Amino acid sequence: MHNHEPAGYHCPFCHLTTDREPDVVYRDERVFAMICPRWWPRNAGHLLIIPVAHHENLYDLPAADGHAIFDATRMLARAMRTAYDCAGVSTRQHNEPAGNQDVWHFHQHLFPRYPGDDLYGTPPQPDWLPADRRRAYADRLRAALNP
């Protein structure tokens, strides 16, 4: 359908390295969720919710995987409200270059939200956050998922 993945693409989600596994806070047979390595200044610890199977974008996503992503998003949003004591959450998902997609594997962002955080008016931090900072948020979410 509407695909832009280049030939020979090395998908970072299909080839998740073992050093990134501690960032994973949830996994089942269809979906996994991990702390995003790139953060927005006032929305620390946001998640990427990703189908295990490689599907480039929303157009290619099978209904069963879409349902699994939504169910995981709802569960993780509840855990995020508890773990981060945020005032709300936002989701975001991008398709194709014009839609701002830059990783050619479907994924959905789940952001903690706070009054005045200006998420949509603030650029992300330029570099990936250190593993210890990401893991601290992952530990909080895992604790909220498994009380």
Side-chain angles (χ1 to χ4, degrees):
M1 191 175 263
H2 304 283
N3 299 106
H4 302 275
E5 179 180 310
Y9 181 65
H10 183 81
C11 178
F13 299 146
C14 291
H15 301 98
L16 194 67
T17 57
T18 55
D19 66 313
R20 296 298 308 280
E21 277 297 322
D23 293 344
V24 175
V25 299
Y26 174 78
R27 182 183 295 276
D28 66 23
E29 66 279 351
R30 290 195 174 274
V31 175
F32 68 99
M34 62 185 280
I35 301 292
C36 185
R38 195 165 185 205
W39 288 4
W40 273 250
R42 292 179 288 278
N43 306 89
H46 93 272
L47 290 173
L48 300 176
I49 302 157
I50 306 159
V52 171
H54 184 86
H55 306 291
E56 181 176 319
N57 53 42
L58 183 63
Y59 315 120
D60 296 339
L61 190 68
D65 285 349
H67 291 292
I69 288 164
F70 182 83
D71 290 345
T73 300
R74 181 183 55 206
M75 176 190 60
L76 291 159
R78 290 173 176 163
M80 184 176 277
R81 289 271 291 133
T82 299
Y84 296 177
D85 195 30
C86 53
V89 299
S90 288
T91 60
R92 201 151 112 177
Q93 196 277 317
H94 308 281
N95 298 280
E96 300 187 87
N100 220 20
Q101 183 177 10
D102 60 0
V103 175
W104 308 114
H105 185 130
F106 178 96
H107 59 286
Q108 179 170 272
H109 297 258
L110 176 62
F111 289 93
R113 298 300 307 272
Y114 305 92
D117 65 13
D118 195 29
L119 172 64
Y120 298 113
T122 307
Q125 295 175 339
D127 298 316
W128 284 16
L129 271 286
D132 59 326
R133 288 201 51 209
R134 295 191 315 263
R135 289 189 185 120
Y137 281 83
D139 291 343
R140 289 167 62 186
L141 280 168
R142 278 191 216 97
L145 285 168
N146 302 301

